[in-house]
Amino acid sequence: MNLRGCAAQILAKVIGDGQSLTAALEHGLPKLKDSKDRAFVQALCYGVVRHYYALDFALGKLLGKPLKAKDADIKTLLLVGLYQLQHMRVKPHAAVSETVAATSHKPWARGLVNGILRQYLRDADNLLQAADRDQQARLNHPQWIIDALCRDWPERHEKILHANDQAAPMFLRVNQRQTSRETYLDQLAAQGIAGQPVDCCDTAIRLDQAVAVEQLPGFSDGRVSVQDSAAQLAAELLDAQAGDWVLDMCAAPGGKTAAILERQPALTGLMAIDVDAQRLQRVEENLARLHLQAETLVADAGNPADWADPRRFQRILLDAPCSGFGVIRRHPDIKLLRRPDDIAVLQATQAKILQAAWQLLTPGGVLLYATCSVLKVENEQQIAAFLATQTDAEELTIDAHWGLARPHGRQILTGERQMDGFYYAKLRKAV
């Protein structure tokens, strides 16, 4: 199978059909038997999606007029070719010839693909200069996302956009029930894996180079998990105490659920809910690997009357559904799939779930609101609106040396200390 053609087919599912990159890869990669081939195709797909707006600008200049919708696979094939020429260490003649070879199912496209890629090689400097004069191409994001980040972070938006286009480092969370971070760093070193402790999170390690989880000492036994250090902060901030009942709302895939249980082994119990049964199964699988126990339930967090019993919780983690603008570097298809109208819908959902969660919190209890977003409307403005109407809510200051103190809560901008973009606000219910 031609690997460029395979990548083009996967990308057509994302760019043309609106499928998530994760889902498209899960469907397309198993067709390839060789692990190196799968890695190469995955790198092509992530690369094209990550650099889509810059690549699409160049392709538009080269084509003159767009291809027909029925030829979406030829467009994605051209993007694959351009990505190789711009960003990969593939020899130009090999990139061109192998990409042209992928047109065997549409012989008419052979000359087009060959001509476009060779024209790019001749005109690359002029095309790059033209891209620098076009804001969407230069910043490599849709204009509406550029505008939204510029409004919220006028002094920092270009830095955030640049961080979005970098491959994220691999962070580990050490299971404190089984080992210490110092001991695990020694175990990594013994395997020839270099890692550094993260100073703002006592369970986090940042690897110098990403590795397959199978190479991590004790991974299958639950000694360690993969989780960005910004997400690991949730368990520390929630600060669950011995004897507490904890509710983790919108819990999938379960990283924060597990971190809470690892940090506090003397809970009375923890309930993890998620509206998606398949995603909740991932929570259960993660807990099983880590030898942890929690009550799991498929449930709509915004309608607790359908599932909540008279029990009330001393600690609630609400990892609210959000735009994901803080994790674009891990999920670059967010740039292609998210729409401007989504934000208002998400904001309304967040407000509804926040109100629902508050009713389940005991007096004196603590709720931690979290998102992987950098948009103020989902974060500090959401909390401001909640506090304006909830008279029994008191905000607790998050005193930390990471992130930015905001009028409400604390914001991590993407790339700070190499972390994902994250937001946290901590609220206590009056007695």
Side-chain angles (χ1 to χ4, degrees):
M1 179 180 289
N2 183 289
L3 299 183
R4 278 80 173 174
C6 181
Q9 290 174 15
I10 292 170
L11 288 164
K13 296 289 185 184
V14 180
I15 297 168
D17 300 341
Q19 195 173 114
S20 76
L21 180 56
T22 299
L25 286 168
E26 286 176 350
H27 181 262
L29 287 182
K31 299 173 184 177
L32 303 172
K33 302 305 180 187
D34 188 278
S35 61
K36 290 183 179 178
D37 288 347
R38 290 195 297 272
F40 181 70
V41 169
Q42 181 166 302
L44 285 175
C45 291
Y46 266 92
V48 169
V49 173
R50 182 169 281 128
H51 298 279
Y52 175 80
Y53 289 91
L55 294 170
D56 192 54
F57 176 86
L59 182 57
K61 292 290 187 184
L62 291 164
L63 280 173
K65 63 177 183 179
L67 291 166
K68 295 176 182 177
K70 65 185 180 70
D71 296 317
D73 58 332
I74 300 301
K75 176 181 177 177
T76 54
L77 186 61
L78 284 163
L79 293 171
V80 166
L82 291 175
Y83 174 71
Q84 292 171 86
L85 296 175
Q86 277 193 19
H87 298 283
M88 296 187 84
R89 295 178 179 177
V90 179
K91 291 181 179 179
H93 69 85
V96 173
S97 63
E98 288 297 318
T99 305
V100 170
T103 62
S104 59
H105 66 300
K106 290 184 176 178
W108 66 264
R110 182 180 182 88
L112 173 69
V113 172
N114 184 63
I116 291 292
L117 296 183
R118 292 191 182 282
Q119 185 183 345
Y120 173 80
L121 289 172
R122 292 192 297 271
D123 296 343
D125 289 344
N126 291 332
L127 288 166
L128 291 173
Q129 289 173 17
D132 278 341
R133 296 189 293 270
D134 182 278
Q135 189 182 47
Q136 182 169 278
R138 178 173 62 85
L139 297 177
N140 191 42
H141 283 68
Q143 192 63 49
W144 74 273
I145 292 182
I146 295 170
D147 293 341
L149 292 177
C150 188
R151 282 194 302 270
D152 279 2
W153 308 104
E155 305 298 324
R156 296 180 169 92
H157 74 284
E158 290 205 16
K159 189 174 182 180
I160 297 170
L161 293 165
H162 176 72
N164 285 349
D165 286 342
Q166 310 307 305
M170 186 173 184
F171 287 92
L172 306 179
R173 185 189 75 246
V174 176
N175 184 349
Q176 294 175 314
R177 287 200 187 190
Q178 293 197 27
T179 189
S180 69
R181 179 166 67 175
E182 293 71 23
T183 299
Y184 195 76
L185 280 165
D186 290 340
Q187 293 168 358
L188 286 173
Q191 295 291 324
I193 302 172
Q196 314 299 326
V198 178
D199 62 356
C200 65
C201 182
D202 60 8
T203 55
I205 293 171
R206 186 182 66 251
L207 298 186
D208 293 1
Q209 297 285 336
V211 300
V213 293
E214 294 81 7
Q215 295 178 251
L216 296 172
F219 179 82
S220 61
D221 298 326
R223 207 178 308 164
V224 71
S225 299
V226 177
Q227 188 180 37
D228 190 87
S229 58
Q232 292 186 47
L233 294 168
E236 178 181 348
L237 291 170
L238 188 66
D239 192 27
Q241 302 296 301
D244 281 351
W245 264 107
V246 176
L247 174 62
D248 186 356
M249 304 182 84
C250 314
K256 299 180 187 71
T257 308
I260 293 165
L261 292 164
E262 288 170 3
R263 184 172 285 272
Q264 178 51 267
L267 297 176
T268 295
L270 185 150
M271 176 185 281
I273 70 165
D274 200 273
V275 73
D276 188 318
Q278 278 192 314
R279 283 171 53 79
L280 193 68
Q281 187 174 350
R282 289 185 61 194
V283 178
E284 294 166 352
E285 290 167 355
N286 281 327
L287 293 175
R289 180 181 64 83
L290 294 161
H291 310 292
L292 300 170
Q293 291 186 331
E295 182 181 348
T296 59
L297 182 68
V298 178
D300 179 355
N303 292 293
D306 295 342
W307 54 269
D309 56 28
R311 183 189 323 158
R312 292 295 180 263
F313 300 90
Q314 286 79 33
R315 291 287 190 279
I316 296 178
L317 170 61
L318 171 50
D319 189 2
C322 69
S323 65
F325 279 9
V327 292
I328 287 175
R329 62 186 191 161
R330 297 188 186 278
H331 303 284
D333 52 331
I334 288 171
K335 293 194 286 186
L336 280 72
L337 304 180
R338 186 67 72 203
R339 296 290 178 263
D341 293 346
D342 294 344
I343 306 305
V345 175
L346 286 164
Q347 184 187 14
T349 300
Q350 292 157 3
K352 180 181 180 182
I353 297 176
L354 184 53
Q355 288 287 348
W358 198 249
Q359 306 312 311
L360 301 174
L361 189 67
T362 59
V366 171
L367 182 148
L368 183 67
Y369 178 87
T371 76
C372 54
S373 176
V374 295
L375 293 182
K376 293 180 179 179
V377 71
E378 298 184 272
N379 296 338
E380 61 192 75
Q381 292 173 15
Q382 185 71 264
I383 297 301
F386 178 78
L387 291 171
T389 60
Q390 205 69 46
T391 57
D392 61 346
E394 170 195 9
E395 183 176 4
L396 301 176
T397 301
I398 298 174
D399 186 14
H401 58 281
W402 48 262
L404 300 169
R406 303 303 302 158
H408 300 287
R410 202 164 186 93
Q411 179 73 62
I412 302 168
L413 298 179
T414 312
E416 178 196 336
R417 299 171 184 261
Q418 301 188 50
M419 293 191 290
D420 289 342
F422 246 83
Y423 173 82
Y424 289 107
K426 195 170 180 177
L427 308 174
R428 181 165 59 201
K429 195 170 193 178
V431 175

